[in-house]
Amino acid sequence: MVLNPIQSMGRYSQLLFKAFGAVPEFGTYRKKLWEQMMRIGVDSMPIVMLAAAFSGAVTTVQTSYQLVSPLIPKSIIGSIVVPSMILELGAVVTGFILAGRVGARIAAELGTMRVTEQIDALEAMGLNSIGYLIVPRVIAGIVMFPVLYVAACFVGIGGGMMVGHLGGFVPIGEFVDGAREFFQPFDPIFGLIKSLVFGFTITSVSCFKGYYTAGGAEGVGRATTQAAVASCVFLLLADLILAATLL
Amino acid sequence: MRISNELKVGLTIITATVIFILGVRYFEDLPLFATTYDLSAEFDNAGGLIPGNTVRVNGVNVGSVNEVYISTETGKVEVKFHVDRNISVTEGAYAKVSGIDALGAVRLDLYLGPLDAPRIPEGGRVAVGDGNDIFGDITARAPEMLERVSSVLDGLDTVLLETGTMLSQPESDFRSTLRSVNGSVTELQSLLAAERNRISAILQNVEEATGSLKTLTSENGPAVSKLVEDLSVTIATLDRELVGLGQASRSLNVLLDKINNGEGTLGLLVNDPSMYHKMDSTLDGINMLVLDFKTNPGKYLGEMKLVDLF
């Protein structure tokens, strides 16, 4: 029992190692990459933007609710909402949504292929199944997550600004002034690094869970659930490690 | 036309990159599509300045602080900042850190030099203004002020102590003064009690009087207003008259000036003594004539036909 997680860790590393080994022959599977980028990135855009807009708006409303002291200028709302969006919410909200949306789909796809022996068929045809199935997904995750992160921040900050303005909490000018007052150019870079790591974590963990599915339809269901849950857990872990090391 | 996946993905990535770059520049307070005018300054004390703090000229935000670090060469604080390209930062300009650190509202105030002086080049160094703003001043002078406050408090302490001893001695002047004041107040109180009826009557009378005045003014409102109107007309007329009077006195002044200067008949009359002398001699002659007439009137009367009648 105790050895189980360590064993999984080992298998996960092995899979990653093989995937990196398959990168040189990646040119063969490039078409797959565009398809995965489309599914992971572009198709996720609406839900990510929706969630980000709401989280930005809610952060603004709640921050202005908590700021009751007349000594604190309203522009502080901007200096709280923008960094929290850029540093944390933009990446983590996107990550959670994609852990559910992308992680579950990857695990279900690969799991079904595994239990219906399609992966074995690929191998029998002489294709490198890891290079064909896993590498495009992981690379698509690494490339598209930062893109989604940028969209989330853009919409989230915009949503916060609009709600602050329309709701009468803080005028746009003051919001921007406050945001500029405490803006650190490293913050968005850190957010990008975070989202890149999240993209890698979610896609690789889901691929691992899906690729090693066993036990028929039930196994596919289990792998899907585990993929979503493990993605979220490792995402939070990565979040903490990155914040502790880079900030 | 069916848009291929490659195109969609590529467009998405490019859009995100553009938004990222523009967004970062926007929140860094840099112009979106132009280069900035970078400057630097060297402070002894940055007073809590951090990157992102605003740069102000005459209270207007014109840029922000890019970097604050301790220079390894000089050991002083190197502050790099940028301002709007339209702001003409000329030689003679200087920078100061102001605002309150505790509230997080620190900023860099830039005081521009003379407009005709040469412009400080890109990346150039701006002088640092000496002295602080009011809060910095207070902070800098706090030890001195505290010393004074403590000496003042010491003095107050002594005074209070002396007052205490003075009050505690039963035979002190202070106590006797207080006693007499007390007596006066008691007397006043008894007086007030005794004369309460009269005082209330007086107050009532005053009230009645003001009441009557009020009714008078309210009942005769039109008449009063007419009166005031007439008065104002009268005053206006008076005003006009006074203007006329002023003119008259001016003319008189001119006239008197002329007389003084000996111009015209009157002037000559006043200023020329020869006429007086002539008149004087004439009068002398007449006098002598009259005397002569008195002494021997026959000399004259004999020749007058009218006198012959008698």
Side-chain angles (χ1 to χ4, degrees):
Chain A
M1 273 309 273
V2 183
L3 288 179
N4 245 1
I6 299 171
Q7 202 180 357
S8 301
M9 199 71 205
R11 284 169 80 192
Y12 175 67
S13 323
Q14 208 178 9
L15 180 77
L16 285 188
F17 193 73
K18 280 183 193 163
F20 279 121
V23 168
E25 38 182 315
F26 172 65
T28 328
Y29 316 117
R30 199 185 294 146
K31 193 123 184 87
K32 277 276 166 197
L33 178 68
W34 296 117
E35 198 186 305
Q36 290 305 326
M37 277 180 161
M38 192 69 200
R39 285 195 197 157
I40 292 174
V42 181
D43 291 351
S44 303
M45 208 56 106
I47 181 70
V48 164
M49 281 176 153
L50 186 78
F54 275 89
S55 50
V58 169
T59 315
T60 302
V61 174
Q62 289 184 354
T63 309
S64 65
Y65 164 74
Q66 285 178 301
L67 285 182
V68 286
S69 165
L71 265 181
I72 302 173
K74 278 183 174 176
S75 60
I76 289 294
I77 297 173
S79 11
I80 289 173
V81 173
V82 171
S84 31
M85 206 66 216
I86 289 175
L87 281 177
E88 181 70 9
L89 290 175
V92 173
V93 166
T94 309
F96 276 139
I97 288 179
L98 294 192
R101 192 181 184 279
V102 173
R105 214 204 57 223
I106 290 176
E109 264 176 17
L110 296 188
T112 313
M113 286 177 90
R114 168 65 72 192
V115 297
T116 54
E117 292 169 3
Q118 289 181 53
I119 290 176
D120 297 330
L122 284 173
E123 292 284 344
M125 283 194 288
L127 281 170
N128 182 347
S129 65
I130 291 173
Y132 184 72
L133 295 173
I134 294 177
V135 173
R137 286 174 167 79
V138 174
I139 289 179
I142 291 173
V143 174
M144 292 316 281
F145 259 58
V147 171
L148 289 166
Y149 160 75
V150 171
C153 284
F154 180 67
V155 175
I157 292 170
M161 234 185 253
M162 284 318 291
V163 166
H165 182 68
L166 297 177
F169 301 111
V170 50
I172 286 180
E174 269 188 63
F175 187 95
V176 172
D177 273 354
R180 283 176 174 172
E181 186 80 25
F182 295 101
F183 185 77
Q184 305 280 344
F186 179 68
D187 289 359
I189 307 288
F190 177 67
L192 275 188
I193 295 172
K194 234 176 171 178
S195 61
L196 197 141
V197 172
F198 289 174
F200 172 76
T201 309
I202 291 170
T203 47
S204 61
V205 167
S206 309
C207 284
F208 168 70
K209 288 286 176 192
Y211 194 76
Y212 291 115
T213 305
E218 198 187 321
V220 173
R222 194 166 53 239
T224 308
T225 315
Q226 278 179 356
V229 173
S231 294
C232 287
V233 172
F234 283 111
L235 183 149
L236 290 171
L237 201 66
D239 194 17
L240 180 64
I241 291 170
L242 283 175
T245 51
L246 290 181
L247 283 185
Chain B
M1 186 185 105
R2 197 179 168 278
I3 301 168
S4 68
N5 282 351
E6 286 93 327
L7 195 62
K8 277 185 198 167
V9 171
L11 277 177
T12 314
I13 292 174
I14 289 167
T15 314
T17 312
V18 169
I19 289 176
F20 181 77
I21 292 167
L22 291 186
V24 170
R25 285 184 76 87
Y26 180 71
F27 282 118
E28 272 190 294
D29 206 5
L30 298 170
L32 294 188
F33 299 108
T35 52
T36 54
Y37 182 22
D38 292 315
L39 293 164
S40 67
E42 195 183 62
F43 287 92
D44 289 328
N45 182 348
L49 201 70
I50 52 166
N53 282 150
T54 51
V55 178
R56 284 190 183 176
V57 171
N58 301 338
V60 180
N61 287 0
V62 294
S64 62
V65 176
N66 298 343
E67 240 183 306
V68 179
Y69 61 91
I70 309 274
S71 164
T72 47
E73 291 158 25
T74 58
K76 292 188 170 184
V77 185
E78 189 79 13
V79 174
K80 291 192 184 296
F81 59 97
H82 66 266
V83 296
D84 205 316
R85 232 168 228 297
N86 303 325
I87 303 292
S88 167
V89 184
T90 54
E91 301 283 352
Y94 60 99
K96 256 195 210 180
V97 177
S98 50
I100 313 162
D101 190 15
L103 287 181
V106 186
R107 60 174 189 274
L108 194 67
D109 271 331
L110 198 60
Y111 297 87
L112 296 182
L115 282 176
D116 47 356
R119 206 177 148 108
I120 293 176
E122 181 80 20
R125 193 174 280 283
V126 177
V128 172
D130 46 351
N132 289 304
D133 65 332
I134 187 156
F135 293 103
D137 234 23
I138 289 171
T139 321
R141 294 179 60 181
E144 191 189 331
M145 273 163 72
L146 275 177
E147 222 164 83
R148 280 191 199 171
V149 166
S150 101
S151 79
V152 167
L153 283 176
D154 278 349
L156 200 64
D157 225 28
T158 331
V159 169
L160 280 175
L161 211 66
E162 275 174 22
T163 316
T165 31
M166 236 153 81
L167 281 173
S168 61
Q169 286 163 359
E171 71 280 2
S172 71
D173 289 351
F174 210 70
R175 280 190 86 132
S176 64
T177 310
L178 275 179
R179 257 200 301 281
S180 42
V181 168
N182 218 349
S184 306
V185 169
T186 323
E187 265 175 39
L188 194 65
Q189 224 162 14
S190 56
L191 187 75
L192 280 175
E195 302 287 328
R196 182 173 292 156
N197 289 338
R198 273 181 68 184
I199 289 169
S200 82
I202 290 168
L203 282 176
Q204 212 172 337
N205 284 347
V206 169
E207 205 181 311
E208 271 168 26
T210 52
S212 318
L213 200 61
K214 198 177 164 191
T215 31
L216 189 73
T217 46
S218 60
E219 276 173 8
N220 300 331
V224 170
S225 79
K226 178 81 175 53
L227 199 66
V228 169
E229 240 165 66
D230 288 352
L231 199 61
S232 102
V233 170
T234 312
I235 285 170
T237 320
L238 206 58
D239 220 27
R240 276 200 298 281
E241 297 293 329
L242 277 176
V243 170
L245 201 60
Q247 274 168 356
S249 79
R250 264 199 297 285
S251 313
L252 206 59
N253 242 348
V254 172
L255 198 64
L256 284 175
D257 270 352
K258 278 189 174 172
I259 290 171
N260 255 350
N261 297 337
E263 290 170 31
T265 318
L266 263 178
L268 282 177
L269 196 64
V270 170
N271 292 298
D272 196 358
S274 64
M275 186 165 171
Y276 166 76
H277 290 311
K278 279 178 189 167
M279 275 172 88
D280 199 40
S281 66
T282 312
L283 281 173
D284 271 353
I286 292 172
N287 230 356
M288 276 158 67
L289 192 69
V290 169
L291 276 176
D292 199 33
F293 188 78
K294 269 185 181 164
T295 42
N296 39 13
K299 186 179 164 187
Y300 302 94
L301 288 176
E303 294 188 14
M304 288 184 84
K305 294 280 191 293
L306 193 70
V307 176
D308 277 353
L309 288 175
F310 304 100

